[in-house]
């Protein structure tokens, strides 16, 4: 009975820590293992070797460190895109301010305003884009 309770608690803790990445890794691992069982029953050593290599690759890519590194890389790319969009917006806003201060014609100012509006929209999209 104590063993059953211990196993149940361990399973609860492992489920609580599961993430979409680990779930995907587990599903892929199970799929490969099923395919390996079929290949083993057929005595298809070539397919078995290919599947074993794929399983080894999956196991290497699905370590907690590898998953954390992918998340960190995705966050860095996301933040870089936001920073680039902010820099572009600042540059266009500065050009618009210069054109307005200089007394440039309204067509030119309207063109700079369109660029500023596009840059704001690009920044909004970069911020809203999910981290992948």
């Amino acid at each position: 009975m104590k063993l059953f309770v211990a196993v149940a608690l361990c399973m609860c803790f492992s489920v609580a820590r599961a993430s979409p990445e680990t779930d995907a890794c587990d599903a892929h691992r199970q799929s490969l293992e099923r395919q390996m069982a079929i290949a083993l029953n057929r005595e298809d050593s070539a397919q078995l070797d290919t599947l074993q290599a794929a399983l080894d690759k999956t196991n290497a890519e699905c370590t907690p460190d590898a998953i954390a590194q992918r998340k960190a890389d995705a966050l860095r790319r996301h933040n870089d895109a936001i920073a680039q969009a902010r820099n572009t917006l600042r540059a266009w806003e500065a050009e618009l301010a210069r054109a307005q201060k200089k007394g440039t014609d309204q067509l030119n100012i309207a063109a700079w305003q369109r660029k500023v509006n596009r840059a704001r929209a690009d920044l909004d999209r970069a911020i809203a884009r999910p981290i992948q």
Side-chain angles (χ1 to χ4, degrees):
M1 184 66 173
K2 289 180 184 178
L3 178 64
F4 176 72
V5 171
V7 170
L9 283 174
C10 288
M11 290 180 72
C12 288
F13 290 132
S14 66
V15 170
R17 286 184 282 139
S19 68
E21 293 86 6
T22 57
D23 291 346
C25 287
D26 291 342
H28 190 243
R29 208 178 276 119
Q30 289 172 356
S31 173
L32 289 171
E33 289 169 352
R34 280 193 299 273
Q35 293 175 44
M36 288 174 74
I38 293 168
L40 188 61
N41 286 338
R42 291 186 196 156
E43 297 179 8
D44 188 349
S45 61
Q47 185 179 14
L48 195 56
D49 291 342
T50 302
L51 291 168
Q52 183 62 51
L55 182 60
D56 292 343
K57 180 180 176 190
T58 299
N59 287 335
E61 292 175 350
C62 288
T63 64
D65 290 341
I67 292 171
Q69 184 62 48
R70 280 196 301 276
K71 284 183 179 181
D73 291 344
L75 182 60
R76 180 189 43 76
R77 285 190 307 272
H78 180 74
N79 290 338
D80 288 349
I82 291 171
Q84 184 177 2
R86 279 192 178 122
N87 289 339
T88 302
L89 176 59
R90 280 189 206 113
W92 292 142
E93 285 174 337
E95 290 296 329
L96 175 61
R98 271 188 228 117
Q100 289 171 333
K101 185 177 180 180
K102 186 177 168 183
T104 308
D105 66 272
Q106 290 302 312
L107 284 176
N108 198 354
I109 289 174
W112 284 115
Q113 187 62 55
R114 284 191 301 275
K115 287 183 180 187
V116 167
N117 292 342
R118 276 196 303 266
R120 278 195 187 115
D122 289 344
L123 176 58
D124 290 342
R125 277 193 299 277
I127 291 170
R129 190 171 296 125
I131 300 172
Q132 297 178 349

